[in-house]
Amino acid sequence: MKKIYIALLGFGTVGAGVYRVVTENHALIEHREELDIEVKRILVKNFDSEPNINMAPREVFTTSIDDITNDPDISIVVECMGGVEPARTFILAALNGKKTVVTSNKEVISKHWYMFADTARKNEVGLYIEATVGGGIPLLRTVTDSLQANNIEQVMGIINGTTNFILTKMSEAGQDFGETLREAQELGYAEADPTADVEGFDATYKLSILSSLAFHTHMPIDVIHREGITKLTSEDFHAARQLGYEIKLLAIGKKTENRVEVRVHPTMIPKTHPLASVRESFNAVFIKGNAVDDVMLYGRGAGQMPTASAVMGDVIYACHHEGKHRLGTFRNIPDMDQGTILVRDWQSKYCIRTRVADQPGVLSKIAGVFAKHNVSLNSVLQFAQKEGEKGPIAWITFLTHTAQELAVQAAVEELNTLDCMESVESLIRVEE
Amino acid sequence: MKKIYIALLGFGTVGAGVYRVVTENHALIEHREELDIEVKRILVKNFDSEPNINMAPREVFTTSIDDITNDPDISIVVECMGGVEPARTFILAALNGKKTVVTSNKEVISKHWYMFADTARKNEVGLYIEATVGGGIPLLRTVTDSLQANNIEQVMGIINGTTNFILTKMSEAGQDFGETLREAQELGYAEADPTADVEGFDATYKLSILSSLAFHTHMPIDVIHREGITKLTSEDFHAARQLGYEIKLLAIGKKTENRVEVRVHPTMIPKTHPLASVRESFNAVFIKGNAVDDVMLYGRGAGQMPTASAVMGDVIYACHHEGKHRLGTFRNIPDMDQGTILVRDWQSKYCIRTRVADQPGVLSKIAGVFAKHNVSLNSVLQFAQKEGEKGPIAWITFLTHTAQELAVQAAVEELNTLDCMESVESLIRVEE
């Protein structure tokens, strides 16, 4: 029986989950995988403020990374602290100490993956990151070990549970964003500072990792168009419902010949689309390959035990690949450089909600602006004036055919200059 | 660049698909995986009746397995002939010729996996079977390489596209089975002899493989309860709809402590269940692990290119694991023997449709029989007599709470002896 000593960096939700899987499923892993895995050390900031300290024997804990990097018994270091520092420094120390690293930290991977992979390669150790995207859903290994014969053309999905929980409530209960966020915070689905989730940063980190792997080209976070959910209103959901759509925060990556577009933004999708029925904090991702066509993976994108499942899947995989680690990183496609990656002018359909003066000729003026910018309209919905609203006001929602992003932006800018235009209330991209 | 020569056994739909992926995605696989893969030989029965013969140079084809097993260049043999013989003989010949085998043939694997795995082990070569279950959906590798730290408690899904196509049409168009089967045959979704699909054999082969891997214990096909879809009527769908359910042919494996139940049968699931919205020939499987909770994988469970994607995923995986093949087979759990596997008396909920004489006291008599067998009723629906039907007849549908299979069987047997009972029209199991 192969004895494997691992160390955990951090003992919060994920770290404690990993400890639980190692101990609760120990016999099962020993029997099936012929691996006797033991957590030898756990790095914490200090013993006294550690909520999970009673889960493991006191002598296992340490506050010094050196106790781990200098321990020749330890072959795998699991980083589950989150954030950039000190995670970045500790991961490098572990790799340089000839330890294979498994991490669930999407932020540090999306920002420093290249450097980590280089360091791992030099030290002939592994770097495994399944838990960084989609929690327990085996997204990354599916790309690298199952769909690897495919030219992957698209990834599209819901990869942030907090925002999906909020959007589900906004859609089903007709609530506004602020009210729903407070509810999500009370229930523990959103952090006290919700910025990383609701502004789309978390989804951007994950999309950077997933699309880099899927398209085999480095997609740093700063090439990803990012738009959060904070500006969505109950009126957006009302309009979407009228048109037969649901609104989700989608992470989208598309490859067409040598161009790649990557974006995170609120998206209208038809109610019949499988992603439309992904509710609450669940995640789901579609991957489209040129041989396999569409595959969808669905499950719990966060949470203690699902994330620990992915981490331990990596640990076991790493054990079986000792001395033969594949770094799970991407190779740049030679004819695809940064110039062709930075595609801001993608094509999409759009839903544009406007608030206009209710007077003759308004629709014709607005339609004229769209036509001028070569944006073709699919349907137009006019809603009656709201109760209590001053003056003769109309609400008009436009659904476009496929158009160029920059043309639509220009059209909206010009719409805002029209005398009859009270305001362009929202612009939401549409995927079918 | 590592040069890999492979051989194909069979050049029908799947074989031709594999050839297409090898040639169309050759540059991509070379660049990303550092593998130059070439199809060196293709075994066919005879040249003249081969519909795809023009896809490859004539000299690649052979009618002799010896040309493949004796060729030292060839390291991987891809079997995609289907059926038991001569596939079984050829797979053994390839393994004994020190070739790694990749196969999409669920029937031969479900019947001879043990022997193949032994032979592969003796010859120190690999045996890869991802394409046998779920077509392009990476189900098996997810179990072995991603969820391997979990105690998998349940697998449940739609793993036969032909029957799901038929059931979708029966549900949506209100058609009867025979009519829908003919339509499926015309469209190429069902074979001229549809027995393997509509009687559930195909799903049974796949469930045997999937549950053996998931539960790490050998689940031969003869321990699987099998029931096809041929007896379903439009009345079953009508009743299901009234109760808020959809009917799907589900493959179900459940593990509770040391007992495993495996069954393939028409199943009522709530319309809100994600499997209820899996339409037409798509497949989807839920896997429940004690850490990851529920994961669902969805995609094309058959078809030329999706199956070829899974086959080529295996070929590339095998190349990276040369000399270190893991046989992808199960280990028997020591405390789980055949006695505890053969669980015929599982628990489920049931929907029982009856046709009875419409006279006083009937419901009380029937309810009495259920009570006697300790089967508790959840709801009862009585439908009016049909037009043109003779005599005072009522249709009563019973939905039970969770009950023992054998108790329900006994209750139905006794119901059939009641004077007031015209017939027990159907018994369909219910999962929530």
Side-chain angles (χ1 to χ4, degrees), chain A residues 49-69:
Chain A
S49 63
E50 200 48 58
N52 300 314
I53 198 102
N54 292 326
M55 283 182 62
R58 185 61 182 253
E59 66 271 20
V60 167
F61 291 92
T62 173
T63 55
S64 160
I65 183 77
D66 297 339
D67 283 350
I68 290 166
T69 52

Side-chain angles (χ1 to χ4, degrees), chain B residues 241-278:
Chain B
R241 208 165 20 245
Q242 294 256 346
L243 294 159
Y245 288 82
E246 194 59 79
I247 303 177
K248 295 291 188 185
L249 182 69
L250 292 194
I252 300 169
K254 292 187 186 183
K255 190 171 76 176
T256 42
E257 291 174 32
N258 296 330
R259 292 156 45 107
V260 176
E261 58 186 69
V262 273
R263 40 197 172 102
V264 170
H265 53 62
T267 312
M268 280 174 35
I269 45 173
K271 279 207 172 292
T272 52
H273 193 290
L275 290 175
S277 54
V278 175

Side-chain angles (χ1 to χ4, degrees), chain A residues 83-149:
Chain A
V84 172
E85 283 297 351
R88 180 183 152 282
T89 305
F90 291 171
I91 288 174
L92 285 175
L95 294 170
N96 284 320
K98 309 279 180 201
K99 319 294 185 198
T100 281
V101 168
V102 174
T103 178
S104 59
N105 184 335
K106 54 224 129 196
E107 185 174 359
V108 80
I109 287 294
S110 69
K111 292 177 177 169
H112 300 292
W113 189 4
Y114 246 149
M115 181 180 64
F116 293 151
D118 272 353
T119 311
R121 202 173 287 113
K122 272 179 214 138
N123 288 286
E124 294 176 349
V125 291
L127 173 66
Y128 294 92
I129 61 172
E130 178 67 67
T132 60
V133 187
I137 311 170
L139 280 170
L140 304 187
R141 190 107 72 235
T142 291
V143 168
T144 58
D145 282 28
S146 291
L147 306 184
Q148 72 276 57

Side-chain angles (χ1 to χ4, degrees), chain B residues 58-329:
Chain B
R58 186 60 182 252
E59 65 271 20
V60 167
F61 291 93
T62 174
T63 56
S64 160
I65 183 76
D66 297 338
D67 283 350
I68 290 165
T69 52
N70 294 334
D71 186 335
D73 284 349
I74 293 169
S75 56
I76 297 175
V77 171
V78 174
E79 185 271 311
C80 36
M81 299 184 297
V84 172
E85 283 297 352
R88 180 183 151 281
T89 304
F90 290 172
I91 288 174
L92 285 175
L95 294 171
N96 283 320
K98 309 277 179 201
K99 318 295 186 198
T100 282
V101 168
V102 174
T103 179
S104 60
N105 184 336
K106 54 223 128 194
E107 185 175 356
V108 80
I109 288 294
S110 69
K111 292 178 178 171
H112 301 291
W113 190 4
Y114 247 151
M115 181 180 63
F116 292 151
D118 272 352
T119 310
R121 202 173 287 112
K122 272 179 213 141
N123 288 285
E124 295 176 348
V125 292
L127 173 65
Y128 294 92
I129 61 172
E130 178 66 68
T132 61
V133 187
I137 310 170
L139 280 170
L140 304 186
R141 190 107 72 234
T142 291
V143 169
T144 58
D145 283 28
S146 291
L147 305 184
Q148 71 277 56
N150 286 265
N151 182 20
I152 294 179
E153 295 157 351
Q154 185 171 317
V155 296
M156 181 163 93
I158 295 163
I159 55 179
N160 179 277
T162 304
T163 48
N164 202 55
F165 178 86
I166 294 173
L167 297 181
T168 305
K169 295 289 164 196
M170 287 179 75
S171 171
E172 294 177 6
Q175 295 171 188
D176 255 321
F177 172 73
E179 184 184 353
T180 320
L181 173 62
R182 278 188 298 278
E183 195 183 313
Q185 284 169 323
E186 276 161 28
L187 290 167
Y189 282 109
E191 313 254 353
D193 176 359
T195 312
D197 292 316
V198 300
E199 295 293 359
F201 289 101
D202 176 84
T204 304
Y205 301 149
K206 292 167 176 169
L207 179 60
S208 161
I209 297 168
L210 177 61
S211 59
S212 293
L213 267 186
F215 305 139
H216 279 259
T217 193
H218 187 211
M219 306 299 297
I221 47 180
D222 55 15
V223 305
I224 302 178
H225 173 87
R226 176 186 55 74
E227 209 178 295
I229 63 165
T230 54
K231 288 177 195 152
L232 291 173
T233 63
S234 54
E235 261 123 31
D236 292 321
F237 283 92
H238 181 72
R241 208 165 20 245
Q242 294 256 346
L243 294 159
Y245 288 82
E246 194 59 79
I247 303 177
K248 295 291 188 185
L249 182 69
L250 292 194
I252 300 169
K254 292 187 186 183
K255 190 171 76 176
T256 42
E257 291 174 32
N258 296 330
R259 292 156 45 107
V260 176
E261 58 186 69
V262 273
R263 40 197 172 102
V264 170
H265 53 62
T267 312
M268 280 174 35
I269 45 173
K271 279 207 172 292
T272 52
H273 193 290
L275 290 175
S277 54
V278 175
R279 297 178 69 252
E280 307 214 318
S281 67
F282 278 90
N283 285 16
V285 175
F286 268 87
I287 305 175
K288 190 185 191 73
N290 72 336
V292 76
D293 198 15
D294 270 323
V295 168
M296 184 178 83
L297 296 99
Y298 164 97
R300 296 198 177 271
Q304 179 173 60
M305 297 306 277
T307 307
S309 163
V311 166
M312 284 306 296
D314 271 356
V315 167
I316 293 169
Y317 188 95
C319 292
H320 291 311
H321 288 77
E322 214 190 303
K324 256 194 116 154
H325 295 294
R326 299 186 62 225
L327 278 171
T329 184

Side-chain angles (χ1 to χ4, degrees), chain B residues 312-382:
Chain B
M312 284 306 296
D314 271 356
V315 167
I316 293 169
Y317 188 95
C319 292
H320 291 311
H321 288 77
E322 214 190 303
K324 256 194 116 154
H325 295 294
R326 299 186 62 225
L327 278 171
T329 184
F330 40 84
R331 297 166 189 280
N332 272 319
I333 295 177
D335 55 1
M336 196 182 269
D337 61 31
Q338 293 289 356
T340 54
I341 292 169
L342 285 157
V343 178
R344 291 285 182 199
D345 192 19
W346 59 74
Q347 291 192 330
S348 181
K349 296 178 182 178
Y350 298 82
C351 178
I352 296 148
R353 276 201 317 111
T354 62
R355 199 164 148 269
V356 300
D358 196 1
Q359 58 195 37
V362 165
L363 192 55
S364 147
K365 275 185 207 152
I366 296 178
V369 171
F370 281 120
K372 179 179 157 196
H373 290 278
N374 212 14
V375 176
S376 165
L377 296 174
N378 178 320
S379 48
V380 178
L381 248 94
Q382 180 158 349

